[in-house]
């Protein structure tokens, strides 16, 4: 058990009834800039170790597995796509019964090291809304398969693991889906520059951070609003030999079936500063692989 401060979207900083682009809460993908404020609240965080079997992607929205990977360096993007993607698919099929198809659509490597393009994200969030999940299916699957696949059960699952050293520094925290209220999920529009550059992860100048000129809405994610009932979990000193499944969407969830099932919809997650981390611990390095998972049912 540890106690830490978590960054949430501030409920007072946005209009909960807004639905139009640029009036809804928004955030930019190419650097800092968002229309809402954050609030920081202290929460207890339970260690999953010793109770791993109590948590599954169906009941809590996440699951921990011991599964060493053949790929260990994660420095060659082509090798990650050619080799590690196959390992991830094999692990998903092994742990999730009834999988008929897996489509891996991207990955992100985060390193809390000098010069790294991506660092751990300190904001409680879920990567996709239902609209964004369907858009991913339409974008990444063959057009002649899409409609049939959308009729069945499908999920978006991130497969997350540390790289090189245990994730003691800025570990990953997850919220048990059963402790998240429906109105805790806040839809956030993702703004992309109209002239997007693939290598364009460059922060805009300070005067344009809050301007939407030259941007368009091309995605949607969830921020999680504060709730005293949230139950946070982490894996203390999680090793590269371990992997976590983080569910971001499920078409057969309690949410999507209007309460007809008890299946978790998705787990809020975030990096956090653990005050118990020993001084001098190496900076966190991790990879998350985002997967569309389709079932026979």
């Amino acid at each position: 058990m540890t106690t830490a401060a978590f960054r949430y979207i501030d409920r007072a900083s946005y209009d909960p009834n807004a639905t139009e682009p640029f009036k809804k809460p928004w955030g930019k993908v190419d650097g800092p800039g968002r229309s809402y404020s954050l609030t920081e609240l202290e929460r207890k965080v339970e260690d999953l170790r010793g109770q791993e079997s109590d948590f599954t992607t169906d009941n809590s929205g996440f699951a921990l597995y011991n599964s060493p990977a053949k790929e260990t360096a994660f420095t060659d993007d082509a090798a990650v796509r050619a080799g590690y993607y196959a390992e991830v698919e094999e692990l998903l099929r092994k742990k999730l019964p009834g999988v008929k198809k897996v489509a891996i659509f991207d990955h992100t490597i985060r390193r809390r090291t000098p010069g790294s393009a991506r660092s751990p994200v300190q904001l409680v969030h879920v990567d996709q809304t239902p609209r964004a999940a369907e858009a991913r299916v339409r974008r990444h699957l063959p057009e002649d398969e899409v409609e049939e696949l959308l009729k069945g059960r499908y999920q978006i699952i991130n497969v997350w693991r540390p790289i090189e050293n245990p994730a003691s520094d800025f570990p990953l925290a997850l919220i048990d889906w059963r402790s998240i209220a429906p109105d805790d999920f806040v839809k956030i529009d993702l703004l992309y520059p109209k002239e997007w550059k693939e290598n364009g992860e460059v922060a805009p100048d300070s005067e344009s951070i809050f301007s939407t000129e030259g941007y368009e809405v091309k995605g949607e994610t969830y921020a999680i609003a504060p709730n005293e009932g949230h139950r946070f979990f982490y894996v203390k000193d999680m090793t590269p030999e371990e992997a976590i499944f983080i569910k971001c969407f499920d078409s057969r969830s309690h949410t999507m079936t209007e309460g007809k099932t008890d299946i978790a919809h998705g787990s809020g997650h975030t990096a956090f500063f653990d005050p118990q981390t020993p001084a001098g611990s190496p900076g966190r390095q991790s990879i998350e692989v985002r997967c569309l998972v389709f079932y026979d049912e």
Side-chain angles (χ1 to χ4, degrees), residues 29-76:
V29 300
D30 64 333
R34 57 177 175 260
S35 65
Y36 55 91
S37 302
L38 303 182
T39 185
E40 198 166 274
L41 300 172
E42 195 168 89
R43 295 284 186 265
K44 291 182 178 179
V45 194
E46 298 179 53
D47 190 354
L48 267 180
R49 296 203 183 281
Q51 51 182 334
E52 298 95 329
S53 61
D54 294 337
F55 296 87
T56 69
T57 52
D58 273 357
N59 66 17
S60 61
F62 56 84
L64 174 67
Y65 300 105
N66 185 69
S67 181
K70 296 175 184 176
E71 174 65 41
T72 57
F74 298 98
T75 54
D76 183 332

Coordinates of all heavy atoms in Angstrom, one line a residue, residues 29-76:
V29 N -2.8 17.0 -29.5 CA -1.9 15.8 -29.6 C -0.5 16.2 -29.9 O 0.4 15.3 -29.7 CB -2.5 14.8 -30.6 CG1 -3.9 14.4 -30.3 CG2 -2.4 15.4 -32.0
D30 N -0.2 17.4 -30.3 CA 1.1 17.7 -30.7 C 1.9 18.6 -29.7 O 2.9 19.2 -30.0 CB 1.1 18.5 -32.1 CG 0.4 19.8 -32.0 OD1 -0.5 19.9 -31.1 OD2 0.7 20.7 -32.8
G31 N 1.4 18.5 -28.5 CA 2.1 19.3 -27.5 C 1.2 19.8 -26.4 O 0.0 19.4 -26.4
P32 N 1.6 20.6 -25.5 CA 0.7 21.1 -24.4 C -0.4 22.0 -25.0 O -0.2 22.5 -26.1 CB 1.7 21.9 -23.5 CG 2.8 22.3 -24.4 CD 3.0 21.2 -25.4
G33 N -1.4 22.1 -24.3 CA -2.6 22.9 -24.8 C -3.8 22.1 -24.5 O -4.0 21.0 -25.1
R34 N -4.7 22.6 -23.7 CA -6.0 22.0 -23.4 C -6.9 23.1 -22.9 O -6.5 24.1 -22.4 CB -5.8 20.9 -22.4 CG -5.2 21.3 -21.0 CD -5.2 20.1 -20.0 NE -4.5 20.5 -18.8 CZ -3.2 20.2 -18.6 NH1 -2.5 19.5 -19.4 NH2 -2.7 20.6 -17.5
S35 N -8.2 22.8 -23.0 CA -9.2 23.8 -22.6 C -9.7 23.6 -21.1 O -10.5 24.4 -20.7 CB -10.5 23.6 -23.5 OG -11.1 22.3 -23.3
Y36 N -9.2 22.6 -20.4 CA -9.7 22.3 -19.1 C -8.5 22.4 -18.1 O -7.3 22.4 -18.5 CB -10.3 20.9 -19.0 CG -9.5 19.8 -19.5 CD1 -8.6 19.1 -18.7 CD2 -9.5 19.5 -20.9 CE1 -7.8 18.1 -19.2 CE2 -8.7 18.4 -21.4 CZ -7.8 17.8 -20.5 OH -7.0 16.8 -21.0
S37 N -8.8 22.4 -16.8 CA -7.8 22.5 -15.8 C -7.7 21.1 -15.1 O -8.6 20.3 -15.2 CB -8.2 23.5 -14.7 OG -8.3 24.8 -15.4
L38 N -6.6 20.9 -14.4 CA -6.4 19.7 -13.6 C -6.5 20.0 -12.1 O -6.3 21.1 -11.7 CB -5.1 19.1 -13.9 CG -4.8 18.8 -15.4 CD1 -3.4 18.1 -15.5 CD2 -5.8 17.8 -16.0
T39 N -6.9 19.0 -11.4 CA -6.9 19.1 -9.9 C -6.1 17.9 -9.4 O -6.2 16.8 -10.0 CB -8.3 19.1 -9.4 OG1 -8.3 19.3 -7.9 CG2 -9.1 17.8 -9.6
E40 N -5.4 18.1 -8.3 CA -4.6 17.0 -7.8 C -5.1 16.6 -6.4 O -5.3 17.4 -5.5 CB -3.1 17.5 -7.6 CG -2.1 16.4 -7.5 CD -0.7 16.9 -7.7 OE1 -0.2 17.0 -8.8 OE2 -0.1 17.2 -6.7
L41 N -5.4 15.3 -6.3 CA -6.0 14.7 -5.1 C -5.2 13.5 -4.6 O -4.7 12.7 -5.4 CB -7.5 14.3 -5.3 CG -8.4 15.4 -5.8 CD1 -9.7 14.8 -6.2 CD2 -8.6 16.5 -4.7
E42 N -5.1 13.4 -3.3 CA -4.4 12.3 -2.7 C -5.2 11.0 -2.6 O -6.4 11.1 -2.1 CB -3.8 12.7 -1.4 CG -2.7 11.8 -0.8 CD -2.0 12.3 0.4 OE1 -2.5 12.1 1.5 OE2 -1.0 13.0 0.2
R43 N -4.7 9.9 -3.0 CA -5.4 8.6 -2.9 C -4.5 7.5 -2.4 O -3.3 7.5 -2.6 CB -6.0 8.3 -4.3 CG -7.0 9.2 -4.9 CD -8.3 9.0 -4.2 NE -9.4 9.8 -4.8 CZ -9.8 11.0 -4.4 NH1 -9.2 11.6 -3.3 NH2 -10.7 11.7 -5.0
K44 N -5.1 6.5 -1.8 CA -4.4 5.3 -1.4 C -4.3 4.4 -2.6 O -5.2 4.4 -3.4 CB -5.1 4.6 -0.3 CG -5.0 5.3 1.1 CD -5.7 4.5 2.2 CE -5.6 5.3 3.5 NZ -6.3 4.5 4.6
V45 N -3.2 3.7 -2.7 CA -3.0 2.8 -3.9 C -2.6 1.4 -3.3 O -1.6 1.3 -2.6 CB -1.9 3.3 -4.8 CG1 -1.9 2.6 -6.1 CG2 -2.0 4.8 -5.0
E46 N -3.4 0.4 -3.7 CA -3.2 -0.9 -3.2 C -2.3 -1.7 -4.1 O -2.3 -1.5 -5.4 CB -4.5 -1.7 -3.1 CG -5.5 -1.1 -2.1 CD -6.8 -1.9 -2.0 OE1 -6.7 -3.1 -1.8 OE2 -7.9 -1.3 -2.2
D47 N -1.5 -2.6 -3.6 CA -0.6 -3.4 -4.4 C -1.3 -4.6 -4.9 O -2.0 -5.3 -4.1 CB 0.6 -3.8 -3.5 CG 1.7 -4.5 -4.4 OD1 1.5 -4.7 -5.6 OD2 2.8 -4.7 -3.8
L48 N -1.3 -4.9 -6.2 CA -1.9 -6.1 -6.7 C -1.3 -7.4 -6.3 O -1.9 -8.4 -6.4 CB -1.9 -6.0 -8.3 CG -3.1 -5.4 -9.0 CD1 -2.9 -5.4 -10.5 CD2 -4.4 -6.1 -8.6
R49 N 0.0 -7.3 -5.9 CA 0.7 -8.6 -5.6 C 0.0 -9.3 -4.5 O -0.4 -8.8 -3.5 CB 2.1 -8.3 -5.3 CG 2.9 -7.6 -6.4 CD 4.4 -7.9 -6.3 NE 5.1 -7.2 -7.3 CZ 5.3 -7.7 -8.6 NH1 4.7 -8.8 -8.9 NH2 6.0 -7.0 -9.5
G50 N -0.2 -10.6 -4.8 CA -0.8 -11.5 -3.8 C -2.3 -11.6 -4.0 O -3.0 -12.5 -3.4
Q51 N -2.9 -10.8 -4.9 CA -4.3 -10.9 -5.2 C -4.6 -10.8 -6.7 O -5.7 -10.4 -7.1 CB -5.1 -9.8 -4.4 CG -4.5 -8.4 -4.6 CD -5.3 -7.3 -3.8 OE1 -6.5 -7.5 -3.4 NE2 -4.6 -6.2 -3.4
E52 N -3.6 -11.1 -7.5 CA -3.7 -10.9 -8.9 C -4.9 -11.7 -9.5 O -5.6 -11.2 -10.4 CB -2.4 -11.5 -9.6 CG -1.2 -10.7 -9.3 CD -0.4 -11.3 -8.1 OE1 -1.0 -12.0 -7.2 OE2 0.9 -11.2 -8.1
S53 N -5.2 -12.9 -8.9 CA -6.2 -13.7 -9.5 C -7.6 -13.2 -9.3 O -8.6 -13.6 -9.9 CB -6.1 -15.1 -8.9 OG -6.3 -15.1 -7.5
D54 N -7.7 -12.1 -8.4 CA -9.0 -11.5 -8.1 C -9.4 -10.5 -9.2 O -10.6 -10.0 -9.2 CB -9.0 -10.8 -6.8 CG -8.9 -11.8 -5.6 OD1 -9.2 -13.0 -5.8 OD2 -8.5 -11.4 -4.5
F55 N -8.5 -10.2 -10.1 CA -8.7 -9.1 -11.0 C -8.6 -9.6 -12.4 O -7.6 -10.2 -12.8 CB -7.8 -7.9 -10.7 CG -8.0 -7.3 -9.4 CD1 -7.3 -7.8 -8.3 CD2 -8.8 -6.2 -9.2 CE1 -7.5 -7.3 -7.0 CE2 -9.0 -5.7 -8.0 CZ -8.4 -6.2 -6.9
T56 N -9.6 -9.3 -13.2 CA -9.6 -9.7 -14.6 C -10.1 -8.6 -15.5 O -10.7 -7.6 -15.0 CB -10.6 -10.9 -14.9 OG1 -12.0 -10.5 -14.7 CG2 -10.3 -12.1 -13.9
T57 N -9.9 -8.7 -16.8 CA -10.4 -7.7 -17.7 C -11.9 -7.6 -17.7 O -12.5 -6.5 -18.0 CB -9.9 -7.9 -19.1 OG1 -10.2 -9.2 -19.5 CG2 -8.4 -7.7 -19.2
D58 N -12.6 -8.7 -17.3 CA -14.0 -8.6 -17.3 C -14.6 -8.0 -16.0 O -15.6 -7.4 -16.1 CB -14.6 -10.1 -17.4 CG -14.8 -10.5 -18.9 OD1 -14.6 -9.6 -19.8 OD2 -15.2 -11.6 -19.1
N59 N -13.9 -8.2 -14.9 CA -14.5 -7.7 -13.6 C -14.0 -6.3 -13.2 O -14.7 -5.4 -12.7 CB -14.5 -8.7 -12.5 CG -13.0 -9.0 -12.0 OD1 -12.1 -8.3 -12.3 ND2 -12.9 -10.1 -11.3
S60 N -12.7 -6.1 -13.4 CA -12.1 -4.8 -13.0 C -11.6 -3.9 -14.1 O -11.4 -2.7 -14.0 CB -10.9 -5.1 -12.1 OG -9.9 -5.8 -12.8
G61 N -11.4 -4.6 -15.3 CA -10.9 -3.8 -16.5 C -9.4 -4.0 -16.7 O -8.8 -3.4 -17.6
F62 N -8.7 -4.8 -15.8 CA -7.3 -5.0 -16.0 C -6.9 -6.4 -15.4 O -7.6 -7.0 -14.6 CB -6.5 -3.9 -15.3 CG -6.7 -3.7 -13.9 CD1 -6.1 -4.5 -12.9 CD2 -7.6 -2.7 -13.4 CE1 -6.4 -4.3 -11.5 CE2 -7.9 -2.5 -12.1 CZ -7.3 -3.3 -11.1
A63 N -5.8 -6.9 -15.9 CA -5.3 -8.2 -15.4 C -3.8 -8.2 -15.5 O -3.2 -7.7 -16.5 CB -5.9 -9.3 -16.2
L64 N -3.1 -8.8 -14.6 CA -1.7 -8.9 -14.5 C -1.2 -10.4 -14.8 O -1.8 -11.3 -14.3 CB -1.1 -8.5 -13.1 CG 0.4 -8.7 -12.9 CD1 1.2 -7.8 -13.7 CD2 0.7 -8.5 -11.4
Y65 N -0.2 -10.5 -15.7 CA 0.3 -11.8 -16.0 C 1.8 -11.8 -16.0 O 2.5 -10.8 -16.3 CB -0.1 -12.2 -17.4 CG -1.6 -12.3 -17.6 CD1 -2.3 -11.2 -18.3 CD2 -2.4 -13.3 -17.1 CE1 -3.7 -11.3 -18.4 CE2 -3.7 -13.3 -17.2 CZ -4.4 -12.3 -17.9 OH -5.7 -12.3 -18.0
N66 N 2.4 -13.0 -15.6 CA 3.8 -13.2 -15.7 C 4.1 -13.8 -17.1 O 3.6 -14.9 -17.4 CB 4.3 -14.2 -14.6 CG 5.8 -14.3 -14.6 OD1 6.5 -13.4 -14.3 ND2 6.3 -15.5 -15.0
S67 N 4.8 -13.0 -17.9 CA 5.0 -13.5 -19.3 C 6.2 -12.8 -19.9 O 6.1 -11.8 -20.5 CB 3.7 -13.1 -20.1 OG 3.9 -13.5 -21.5
P68 N 7.4 -13.4 -19.6 CA 8.6 -12.8 -20.2 C 8.5 -12.7 -21.7 O 8.0 -13.6 -22.4 CB 9.7 -13.8 -19.8 CG 9.1 -14.5 -18.6 CD 7.6 -14.6 -18.8
A69 N 9.1 -11.7 -22.3 CA 9.1 -11.5 -23.7 C 10.4 -11.8 -24.3 O 11.5 -11.6 -23.7 CB 8.7 -10.0 -24.0
K70 N 10.4 -12.3 -25.5 CA 11.7 -12.5 -26.2 C 12.3 -11.2 -26.6 O 13.6 -11.1 -26.5 CB 11.4 -13.3 -27.5 CG 10.9 -14.7 -27.2 CD 10.5 -15.5 -28.5 CE 9.9 -16.8 -28.2 NZ 9.4 -17.5 -29.5
E71 N 11.5 -10.2 -27.0 CA 12.1 -8.9 -27.3 C 12.3 -8.2 -26.0 O 11.5 -8.2 -25.1 CB 11.0 -8.1 -28.1 CG 11.4 -6.6 -28.3 CD 12.7 -6.5 -29.2 OE1 12.8 -7.2 -30.2 OE2 13.5 -5.6 -28.9
T72 N 13.5 -7.6 -25.8 CA 13.9 -7.0 -24.5 C 14.4 -5.6 -24.7 O 14.3 -4.8 -23.8 CB 14.9 -7.8 -23.8 OG1 16.1 -8.0 -24.6 CG2 14.3 -9.2 -23.3
A73 N 15.0 -5.3 -25.9 CA 15.6 -4.0 -26.1 C 14.6 -2.9 -26.4 O 14.6 -1.8 -25.9 CB 16.7 -4.1 -27.2
F74 N 13.7 -3.2 -27.4 CA 12.7 -2.2 -27.8 C 13.3 -0.9 -28.4 O 12.8 0.1 -28.1 CB 11.7 -1.9 -26.7 CG 10.9 -3.1 -26.2 CD1 11.3 -3.8 -25.1 CD2 9.8 -3.6 -26.9 CE1 10.6 -4.9 -24.6 CE2 9.1 -4.7 -26.5 CZ 9.5 -5.4 -25.4
T75 N 14.4 -1.1 -29.1 CA 15.0 0.1 -29.7 C 14.9 0.1 -31.2 O 15.1 1.2 -31.8 CB 16.5 0.1 -29.3 OG1 17.1 -1.2 -29.7 CG2 16.8 0.3 -27.8
D76 N 14.5 -1.0 -31.8 CA 14.3 -1.1 -33.2 C 12.8 -1.2 -33.5 O 12.2 -2.2 -33.2 CB 15.1 -2.3 -33.7 CG 15.0 -2.5 -35.2 OD1 14.0 -2.0 -35.9 OD2 15.9 -3.0 -35.8

